[in-house]
Amino acid sequence: MKQPGFFDVEERLSRLSGLGDQLEAFSRTVDFEAFRPDLDKALAYSDGSKGGRPPFDPVLMFKILVIQTLNNLSDERTEYLINDRLSFMRFLGLGLSDRVPDAKTVWLFQKRLTQAGAIDGLFNRFDATLRNAGYLPMSGQILDATLVAAPKQRNTNAEKADLRAGRIPEDWQDKPAKLSHKDRHARWTLKFTKAKRQDDGTMPSSDLAIPFFGYKSHVSIDRKYRFIRKWKTTHAAASDGARLREGLLDKTNTASSVWADTAYRSKANEDFMEKQGFVSKVHRKKPHLKPMPRHIQKSNAGKSVIRSRVEHVFADQKSQTGLFVRTVGISRATMRIGLANIVYNMRRLLFLERLNASP
């Protein structure tokens, strides 16, 4: 076997390009340097006058988080695959002889961004890039939420009661190692799903309620381009409807219509939208113990055609990037979901740019 040379690597990279390297498309379409001011501000690295090994370039580290989010990787797996894959190295601008950040470095970088609360600034930075490229929020907006799983916690009833009350269980207070592994913010809830037809052809009389532990991702997308414009992270048991009044509506959208399912229908929300100048297209609920009036059925059906577009956002995040919270605590969960939202918008931009370029 001959010793690999420079042109052998170039030939392999050329073949990867021909096969459709998604990361190469990211490099062509997304200006990652636009994130540098926000990264520098959040990280606040020293000028190096005190010596020591210089930190890795923050844009390179941010691109590592993009790789990690795209492929749903742990820190350890991320380190391995950067060393293993030429496509990853090319995306990061690393050569075969360059030093690669290890798992601990990746973890510390993300921790530092989380502590600085940098994710909102990074998301808004890319949203500004989309607007400057002509992708303004248009034609109204669609709201929805989805559950995001986290590692299950096994707590006693007393511990659960303390957590719901915002207290640290007494047994955990003198055990810092145990406390660091306990997620005090994620919650259990019930996930309802349509019952499936049985083997004998019959349908169960009620839908299924499945216990679920984790967080909830709330988003508002624009109807025209389907970019995520506003978002929020809560524990899984949080009400969907109440989030509407907590900054989830985008006032810069060129149209005032708001679509959402029945979870967002309440007098408080209707009054809030009216005062803020929005036009409610929220689904109406079925009257208690009465059949749904025909005109409301038809109205809801028409709204569903538009509202269903938001389902594609969550389907993309879960099927393509395997959205899952590996970390402990609401701050890190917010960072994880925020990164997933940025990466979704990047993928959506790639799709729209290819669409516009096609004859």
Side-chain angles (χ1 to χ4, degrees):
M1 181 180 295
K2 68 175 184 176
Q3 190 75 15
F6 173 78
F7 292 105
D8 297 309
V9 174
E10 287 296 307
E11 182 180 353
R12 180 66 61 86
L13 289 172
S14 178
R15 289 182 62 188
L16 287 173
S17 299
L19 293 170
D21 181 4
Q22 180 181 218
L23 291 176
E24 187 180 30
F26 267 57
S27 295
R28 287 196 306 267
T29 308
V30 178
D31 178 17
F32 283 94
E33 280 297 318
F35 295 101
R36 187 178 292 279
D38 298 273
L39 293 170
D40 287 340
K41 181 180 178 181
L43 297 167
Y45 287 146
S46 66
D47 59 6
S49 59
K50 294 183 179 180
R53 175 179 285 185
F56 284 97
D57 179 71
V59 174
L60 178 146
M61 295 300 299
F62 180 70
K63 291 169 79 172
I64 289 178
L65 297 187
V66 170
I67 287 176
Q68 193 174 46
T69 304
L70 268 172
N71 299 278
N72 190 26
L73 302 174
S74 66
D75 296 333
E76 291 75 15
R77 189 66 177 164
T78 299
E79 178 189 354
Y80 172 80
L81 289 177
I82 291 172
N83 281 281
D84 183 64
R85 292 190 180 180
L86 286 175
S87 60
F88 285 12
M89 296 182 71
R90 174 168 64 179
F91 176 63
L92 298 173
L94 295 174
L96 292 175
S97 60
D98 290 330
R99 186 165 61 99
V100 173
D102 59 21
K104 182 72 172 180
T105 302
V106 174
W107 181 83
L108 287 171
F109 177 77
Q110 186 162 340
K111 179 184 178 183
R112 197 157 182 171
L113 290 183
T114 302
Q115 291 175 335
I119 190 60
D120 284 330
L122 294 169
F123 180 89
N124 292 335
R125 176 70 65 176
F126 189 63
D127 186 63
T129 300
L130 295 175
R131 292 167 188 260
N132 292 336
Y135 294 103
L136 299 174
M138 295 180 176
S139 305
Q141 56 196 298
I142 309 169
L143 275 60
D144 206 354
T146 189
L147 294 169
V148 182
K152 295 181 178 63
Q153 304 280 298
R154 305 298 180 186
N155 302 323
T156 65
N157 290 334
E159 290 170 341
K160 292 177 183 177
D162 284 336
L163 293 175
R164 283 193 293 269
R167 299 188 300 266
I168 298 176
E170 185 177 350
D171 186 47
W172 300 1
Q173 295 180 12
D174 57 350
K175 298 178 181 178
K178 181 176 183 178
L179 183 60
S180 67
H181 288 87
K182 287 292 186 178
D183 196 329
R184 291 172 281 151
H185 303 115
R187 293 289 184 270
W188 285 96
T189 189
L190 290 176
K191 180 179 180 181
F192 293 93
T193 184
K194 292 291 184 182
K196 296 181 180 179
R197 191 177 297 277
Q198 302 296 307
D199 293 338
D200 59 4
T202 61
M203 287 292 292
S205 57
S206 61
D207 293 336
L208 302 176
I210 303 172
F212 184 95
F213 184 80
Y215 293 91
K216 189 176 284 186
S217 170
H218 308 261
V219 303
S220 171
I221 70 167
D222 69 90
R223 178 187 173 190
K224 182 173 177 64
Y225 297 114
R226 304 186 197 181
F227 287 114
I228 297 172
R229 301 294 182 169
K230 296 288 183 179
W231 61 281
K232 188 178 183 67
T233 300
T234 65
H235 60 75
S239 164
D240 294 356
R243 308 288 83 76
L244 180 145
R245 305 188 301 276
E246 297 178 355
L248 203 59
L249 292 174
D250 182 10
K251 296 181 179 180
T252 67
N253 198 292
T254 59
S256 56
S257 298
V258 178
W259 285 266
D261 62 26
T262 56
Y264 295 85
R265 169 68 69 169
S266 69
K267 186 178 186 307
N269 282 351
E270 295 299 305
D271 291 344
F272 178 83
M273 284 188 283
E274 184 177 359
K275 289 179 181 178
Q276 296 292 322
F278 294 102
V279 177
S280 174
K281 300 287 185 181
V282 180
H283 281 224
R284 292 187 176 273
K285 298 179 182 179
K286 178 183 174 297
H288 184 59
L289 299 178
K290 294 181 180 179
M292 177 75 84
R294 181 66 179 166
H295 70 283
I296 294 182
Q297 273 187 326
K298 291 182 67 176
S299 175
N300 281 352
K303 295 171 182 174
S304 291
V305 174
I306 296 172
R307 195 199 66 78
S308 63
R309 297 179 185 183
V310 73
E311 301 294 345
H312 296 285
V313 177
F314 298 138
D316 181 273
Q317 288 185 319
K318 292 187 176 181
S319 64
Q320 298 298 320
T321 62
L323 182 57
F324 179 81
V325 173
R326 300 175 183 274
T327 53
V328 172
I330 187 77
S331 297
R332 292 178 179 176
T334 300
M335 182 72 186
R336 175 71 178 91
I337 291 172
L339 282 169
N341 291 340
I342 293 173
V343 168
Y344 165 79
N345 280 352
M346 289 179 177
R347 284 172 47 81
R348 183 69 184 167
L349 176 62
L350 259 63
F351 172 78
L352 292 175
E353 291 289 285
R354 284 198 301 266
L355 205 63
N356 293 334
S358 61

